[in-house]
Each structure stands twice: as structure tokens, then as C-alpha cells.
Amino acid sequence: MTVQIDHALEEIRRFRPSPEFAAQAVADARLYEEAAADRLGFWAEQARDLLTWSTPFTQTLDWSNPPFAKWFHDGELNVAYNCLDRHVEAGLGDRVALHFEGEPGDSRAITYAELTAEVKRAANALLALGVAAGDRVAIYLPMIPEAVVAMLACARIGAVHSVVFGGFSSKSLQARIDDAQAEVVITADGGYRKGRAFPLKPTVDEAIEAAETTVRSVLVVNRTGEDVAWTEGRDVWWADQLAAVDAEHEAQGFNAEQPLFILYTSGTTGNPKGILHTSGGYLTQAAFTHKNVFDLHPERDVYWCTADVGWITGHSYVVYGPLANGATQVLYEGTPDTPHPGRWWEIIEKYQVSILYTAPTAIRSFMKQGRDVVHGFNVRSLRLLGSVGEPINPEAWIWYRHVIGGGSIPVVDTWWQTETGAIMISALPGITDLKPGSAQVAIPGISIDIVDDDGTPIEGEGGGLLTITEPWPSMLRGIWGDPERFKETYWEKFGDRYFAGDGARRDEDGDIWLLGRVDDVMNVSGHRLSTAEIESSLVAHPWTAEAAVVGASDETTGQAVVAFVILKTSQADQVTDVVAASDELRRHVALQIGAIARPRQVFIVNELPKTRSGKIMRRLLRDLAEGREIGDTTTLADTSIMQIISEQVK
Ligand code: ATP
Ligand code: MG
């Protein structure tokens, strides 16, 4: 059986980099040549250029025991030193590292000197609690500066952090504490979200109560000032503990393969896996991609990545990449629509943000609101836009570029995963001609291939499975505590290649288009259709804000396309006849793509089931479309959503 995915979408728009942008671009086309000529030499050069090593490495890659890679493994470095002290030593101590904006409107600028001082104290605080190199520390915090400080403090002493998204339940937290055997938890009394204080500490108490692992200490940041229950001898206020310890802490070098963090994947497809990342290779690729993909000019840019630190994007592109590069960035605690729908644009105007990195789900929710909200603010400081998390539909890409970006600035769509640690596929701004909807090209030094189900590379144009053919510096080093599952999940299918689980297509220019997860690919009368392409077609209709497509079993066609569509706010009032509206959308898809892709049903809904990181959980919609009981919803942002959708669909 071949997994050729039938190519449906016809997207021919192209955008050349402007000469002005190209003239100042950080990335250089020679990077591709250098990496092609000597891949390992290229990464070794990046590691030496971008990072400071306390003991220089002499070996680049040890791949003698695949799939367990070691990068730069006879070298030593301190990750926190690379993100902090060295910038201060270079005279940049007064540069703002974080412009923190709390949801209630409190704000705080933290310089590199201040952040370094804070991390030194936090490192001493952890040491005082008995945390040693290699120990695991769970972090369960809102998006406040202390989250960044806590992560870096762990890195500084060689402890392994496991950040758990602050919106997760006590059960999820407990499972993650137990899986990693974390003996210390860093949390807060609470945080602010959607205009109110939400408690965190009670969730931690519950999780610890239920956990098998004995949690020795809980460090509690005072954020909301709400009352909290207190366990004497175990709970310690963050501020007290930091005040009680020494201000000085000298960073010691650790082996390049020292574990840096465990992060559980977002759980779009099933059971979260504890993905393990280590130090030298991870930081190299995070810093390299952050600099070149986002065209970072640290002396003048203000960068904002809207991801929560609970996700990999928050790890690599809020904490490690930007800070290793000495960037100035915005850190925002709350939701995009609090206290008003223009909050993000207000923040961009306030801090003169020049680089914005966000997810298609956010862009589509702004499309739903309409452009007036954006136009209420001056966002002309923006000069580069990035997208991550899901395929970005061409219409959403165009809207992003025009309405947010003013029509002429680059949009980079970046493909990567928790497992890859850093960006793997993306245009390089100033070099690559941009194509809306395509993630485009492998990063220099990364080897991507599209293969059929037998692992045979698909030559030239065509669709199949996305694989990575060579080890890369920021690759996962395993699944925590489960080497077998690591091999099975990613390596068993093709033996010598990493299987990403995503479908992809290469076009006639060699550019890569992500087609969605392989599990979601539909088979209609023998044609393999991608969710991403049909969704993009639906989003291209002027009425549609967002769409999710699944394949539901069908007696005649094997599978049938079933679509769930959210209409734009401006249209929702005018569309009174939902039957006529869904007929119109079905016709539209048939016209754009072909009769084979015409959805059997189009349901007009108000919500779609999404993970906490904003990804659509299609498997739940498939359950609904096939009339099954709805599967595991624990990683949904809002667990009541499926109930609402079920009722709308009836
Ligand atoms: P789980 O693996 O637990 O099911 P998850 O895959 O959603 O969860 P992440 O590692 O956060 O967890 O997401 C990586 C996935 O997100 C990729 O495999 C891909 O499906 C999707 N993705 C990320 N960026 C892009 C992009 N730019 N274009 C298309 N898809 C993307
Ligand atoms: Mg995944």
C-alpha cells in the first residue's frame, strides 16, 4: 500500500522578500551551502559561534548507538550562564530581557542583570532545598517572570525541569510528578486569566496528595495574594526562600548531554509522552533557529512569542532561544481578549513589538472577530510574523500578512514538534520566496524526506509521510523512563529514519506542505485526502473563520468527509438557514478541490475541540461523526466543549 496523498489545493501565490528586508537580513544563503557541504561541521561551527563552552567539545556527533544520539558530548557548558551571565559580562546588563505584562495591567521590565541576579538566588534556593544535579523539579506556574527564573535556576544547577501547563488538572499534574519522580514543585498561589484570579496551589496540594512520589518541598510564588492552605515543613514562600540565600552563585559547566528538561507532548493524538531534551545540542539549535528564522537583531528588536512556557514553543522560543541570543521580549500572562478583544494589539503598540510568533488558532480567532479590532491600534512596529502549531491555511496566512503585518512583511510558517526541540522546516526571511500555507524548506543542517508507507522516498512532486533522515542537535534523547516506547513510536516504522507522524507533500519547486497528522488522513473511494487541504479550502470561503475536517466511515465510499465550520462573526448574523449554508460550503469545496472532496456533511458550530495549546483534536470529532462515545478529553482546553458541539450537530 502506498501512502501517496492526493494533492488537492491549488495555491500559487508567491511573495519575494523586499530588497530592504533582504539587505538587512540576518540569515545568509551561504548557510545552506555550508550545511550541505559538511553537515556536522556546520553544526559544530554554530555550537561554537552561538554558545560559550566552559570545556570545548572535540566530537560533534556520536551516533554509535542509534536512535540514542549524543551531540558535542565531550564538551561542557552551563545553559543558564549562556542565557544570562555572559550577556552581563559583555556589557549588556542594562538591556531589558523581559517586558512582563500581567493580565490585570501590572507591568515590569527586567534587565539581563536583574534576571541573572534573580536566577542566582533561585539556584541557591533550590540547592538549599536539597535539589542536586539530575533531580527533577516540577514547575506549575502562570506566565510570570518567575516561570522563566525557575526554569533557568534548574538549568543552572543541572536539575531537570518538567514544566506542567498551569491550566492542567491536578490529575495531569500528579501523573507528571509521578512519571518524572519530581521531589520539588514550584508553583504560585494563583495567576490571572480571563479577568479573574485562578488558584494554582490547591491543585498542587491535591496532586501531591494523590501522587506516589513523595514531594519534599513546594516553593510558592506570591502572585495573586489569595489565601492558600499551608503544609508546614513542606511549603515555602518563594520570596522568603530567595531572600534567605546567598546572592552569588557561580555557574558550573555540565556535560553537553546533561538532561535539561522533560516535557510532556500536548496530547492531541493520545497519551502524552515525557520527551527528554539535553543541553548543548538543544541550545545550539534553539539559538540558531531563533536568530535566523526570526531575523533577530537583538540590539533593536522587541520579540514576542505568545506561547505558554508549558509548551515546547515556550521552552525553545520564550526561554532558551531568545535568552541565549540576548533578545528583548514581551511576556504576557493572560488571554488575548481580556479586558478587551484588542489586548494583544495594545501590547504590541505599547512595547513596539517588531517580531510576533503565534499559532494559527489565534490568527483564525482574530479573523473571526474581523479586522476592525486590530485597526484600533498601531501595530506598524511589526516587521516579521511567525506561525507554529498546525498547518496555517493560505487564507489565514494572507490575513496575517495583510491585516496584522500591513501587507509587506515576511510570514514564516515553522514546522517542528516537542520531539524535535527546535524548528526543522521554515522559510528563512530575506532569502526564501514565501508561499502562503507551505512550511517550505528544511532549516540548513536538517535532512527531511517524504516517503511512502514502505519507506521509499517520493521523488519530485508528491505526498506521503514526513521523515527526518539524519540526527539533529536538538532531537529528543528519548521518552523519560521508556526507551522501548521511544524506539517503537519514532523509529520502528522505518528503522533508520525518524517518523514524525505527519503527512506532507513536496511541490514542483521542492517546497514542503504539511498535510496534517497521518492518523487523520482520509481515504475516500480509494483517494487519500488531507485534512489540511480541505480545511484550507473551507477557510478560503468568505463566510468561514475556522474549519475542522475528519473522515467518518461510510458504507459506499469507505470514508466520507465530514466538516465542522465556525463562521465569521460578521457572517454568522446573516446566515439564517444553516442547511443552505452547509450546502453552499459543500459546493464550494467540490468546486475548489473536486467532487471527491465534497463533504458528506458540513456542520455549522460555534466551537471546536482544542487542546490547551490550541490544536484541533480531530479524533474527538471523528468519534462524534461516527456516532461513537467521545474518547479521552482530559487534554482539552474546555472539557464541556464536546457536549456543546454534540448538541449543535444533532
Ligand atoms: P501528541 O504528540 O501528544 O499527540 P502534539 O503532536 O500536538 O501532541 P506538539 O509536539 O506540540 O504535540 O505538536 C507537534 C505537531 O504539531 C506536529 O507533529 C504537527 O502535527 C503540528 N505542527 C506544528 N507546527 C506545524 C506547522 N507549522 N505546520 C503544520 N503542522 C504543524
Ligand atoms: Mg506529536
Side-chain angles (χ1 to χ4, degrees):
M1 180 191 69
T2 65
V3 196
Q4 284 271 349
I5 298 170
D6 288 355
H7 155 44
L9 197 72
E10 206 55 60
E11 173 56 55
I12 52 161
R13 287 169 284 195
R14 301 282 178 279
F15 299 94
R16 275 257 137 83
S18 75
E20 301 80 54
F21 193 99
Q24 59 84 64
V26 169
D28 186 317
R30 272 176 310 200
L31 292 171
Y32 292 109
E33 289 159 33
E34 284 167 26
D38 176 8
R39 208 178 74 84
L40 294 182
F42 168 80
W43 282 120
E45 192 185 313
Q46 300 309 324
R48 290 189 186 106
D49 264 16
L50 296 167
L51 306 184
T52 304
W53 296 78
S54 51
T55 307
F57 59 89
T58 64
Q59 288 183 20
T60 302
L61 170 68
D62 176 355
W63 190 234
S64 58
N65 180 29
F68 299 93
K70 290 182 181 164
W71 283 85
F72 316 122
H73 68 286
D74 62 348
E76 289 184 343
L77 80 170
N78 186 289
V79 169
Y81 172 86
N82 272 276
C83 293
L84 301 164
D85 314 48
R86 65 169 176 153
H87 303 315
V88 180
E89 288 166 14
L92 303 174
D94 291 338
R95 180 182 290 170
V96 172
L98 303 175
H99 283 295
F100 170 65
E101 179 82 12
E103 197 189 73
D106 56 320
S107 61
R108 183 148 76 100
I110 303 169
T111 65
Y112 272 94
E114 289 164 344
L115 192 62
T116 306
E118 181 96 349
V119 170
K120 285 180 175 178
R121 280 191 179 272
N124 284 329
L126 289 175
L127 290 171
L129 294 176
V131 178
D135 288 354
R136 276 80 58 206
V137 175
I139 298 177
Y140 186 71
L141 283 169
M143 276 295 278
I144 55 176
E146 286 79 0
V148 179
V149 172
M151 290 164 76
L152 291 169
C154 290
R156 194 170 184 93
I157 62 169
V160 185
H161 58 69
S162 163
V163 182
V164 180
F165 174 57
F168 274 147
S169 66
S170 70
K171 204 163 163 284
S172 308
L173 176 60
Q174 174 246 311
R176 286 158 175 76
I177 288 174
D178 278 335
D179 188 68
Q181 294 177 301
E183 292 170 23
V184 172
V185 179
I186 306 177
T187 188
D189 45 5
Y192 294 99
R193 233 186 121 72
K194 294 191 195 292
R196 59 183 187 87
F198 72 91
L200 286 173
K201 175 70 165 51
T203 315
V204 173
D205 292 337
E206 240 176 78
I208 292 175
E209 180 81 11
E212 281 167 26
T213 307
T214 310
V215 172
R216 242 181 14 243
S217 312
V218 181
L219 263 177
V220 188
V221 176
N222 179 338
R223 168 70 183 138
T224 58
E226 313 268 287
D227 281 344
V228 288
W230 206 253
T231 303
E232 283 306 330
R234 186 197 72 186
D235 299 350
V236 198
W237 285 109
W238 167 272
D240 293 349
Q241 183 75 3
L242 263 66
V245 296
D246 217 13
E248 234 352 282
H249 177 274
E250 204 181 318
Q252 161 209 340
F254 289 97
N255 187 278
E257 284 297 335
Q258 175 74 15
L260 181 62
F261 63 84
I262 302 165
L263 182 63
Y264 294 81
T265 52
S266 46
T268 309
T269 49
N271 234 352
K273 305 169 273 286
I275 303 299
L276 174 68
H277 283 286
T278 61
S279 301
Y282 170 79
L283 197 61
T284 298
Q285 197 175 328
F288 173 79
T289 49
H290 181 258
K291 178 179 161 190
N292 289 287
V293 172
F294 300 117
D295 191 54
L296 183 77
H297 293 266
E299 66 292 347
R300 59 174 157 93
D301 275 318
V302 178
Y303 163 86
W304 184 19
C305 166
T306 63
D308 192 279
V309 289
W311 312 123
I312 189 65
T313 307
H315 282 58
S316 304
Y317 299 107
V318 175
V319 181
Y320 293 110
L323 295 177
N325 289 335
T328 294
Q329 65 178 319
V330 169
L331 189 76
Y332 173 54
E333 178 185 30
T335 42
D337 51 359
T338 307
H340 57 79
R343 185 68 190 272
W344 275 19
W345 320 118
E346 183 181 63
I347 290 173
I348 289 173
E349 179 176 316
K350 175 172 175 184
Y351 294 107
Q352 295 286 293
V353 172
S354 54
I355 305 169
L356 177 68
Y357 190 30
T358 193
T361 180
I363 299 161
R364 290 186 302 248
S365 74
F366 297 129
M367 287 173 76
K368 183 179 163 193
Q369 293 169 358
R371 60 184 65 205
D372 290 353
V373 177
V374 185
H375 288 161
F377 298 89
N378 183 350
V379 297
R380 289 289 68 85
S381 53
L382 290 169
R383 61 176 202 88
L384 186 121
L385 303 172
S387 172
V388 62
E390 289 183 292
I392 178 165
N393 324 106
E395 274 334 297
W397 192 102
I398 294 283
W399 197 92
Y400 196 23
R401 177 169 161 110
H402 281 263
V403 179
I404 312 294
S408 61
I409 68 177
V411 176
V412 288
D413 175 18
T414 62
W415 179 88
W416 59 296
Q417 312 176 295
T418 308
E419 294 88 339
T420 69
I423 295 169
M424 302 294 277
I425 305 176
S426 171
L428 290 186
I431 297 180
T432 319
D433 285 358
L434 302 173
K435 293 183 185 174
S438 168
Q440 300 203 284
V441 284
I443 292 296
I446 298 299
S447 312
I448 299 280
D449 207 356
I450 298 170
V451 300
D452 71 14
D453 209 37
D454 308 323
T456 313
I458 290 175
E459 305 291 341
E461 271 185 84
L465 311 178
L466 188 74
T467 62
I468 306 168
T469 58
E470 300 286 347
W472 63 102
S474 62
M475 70 193 287
L476 75 166
R477 300 304 197 259
I479 295 178
W480 183 256
D482 203 345
E484 279 314 307
R485 190 175 176 201
F486 171 53
K487 289 189 210 163
E488 257 167 51
T489 312
Y490 306 104
W491 303 92
E492 208 140 81
K493 193 166 173 65
F494 299 123
D496 56 345
R497 302 159 174 258
Y498 172 89
F499 173 46
D502 286 355
R505 166 170 75 80
R506 200 188 297 105
D507 70 14
E508 69 275 14
D509 304 321
D511 283 313
I512 298 167
W513 299 71
L514 273 302
L515 299 177
R517 292 161 198 277
V518 171
D519 303 344
D520 292 334
V521 167
M522 298 162 291
N523 193 332
V524 181
S525 308
H527 295 265
R528 288 181 164 262
L529 299 174
S530 99
T531 51
E533 290 185 314
I534 300 177
E535 286 163 9
S536 290
S537 163
L538 285 162
V539 174
H541 191 284
W543 294 350
T544 311
E546 187 152 20
V549 160
V550 298
S553 53
D554 184 278
E555 277 179 18
T556 41
T557 56
Q559 273 190 319
V561 177
V562 177
F564 298 80
V565 168
I566 301 180
L567 300 179
K568 285 182 186 156
T569 310
S570 58
Q571 299 299 329
D573 312 336
Q574 290 164 43
V575 178
T576 43
D577 184 348
V578 280
V579 177
S582 43
D583 279 349
E584 158 67 15
L585 292 171
R586 292 174 61 233
R587 236 192 330 268
H588 166 81
V589 173
L591 252 167
Q592 263 218 326
I593 298 187
I596 189 75
R598 184 202 311 268
R600 184 181 73 191
Q601 288 149 302
V602 173
F603 294 112
I604 311 283
V605 293
N606 293 330
E607 306 279 354
L608 291 171
K610 290 186 184 157
T611 61
R612 306 268 181 165
S613 60
K615 296 178 198 212
I616 299 169
M617 285 178 90
R618 290 182 190 73
R619 68 176 168 82
L620 299 179
L621 294 174
R622 202 157 42 226
D623 291 343
L624 188 63
E626 296 186 337
R628 256 196 313 275
E629 203 183 314
I630 307 293
D632 182 12
T633 57
T634 46
T635 55
L636 271 186
D638 178 350
T639 43
S640 64
I641 286 289
M642 284 313 295
Q643 187 65 34
I644 299 171
I645 300 173
S646 308
E647 261 146 43
Q648 286 190 308
V649 162
K650 260 185 210 147

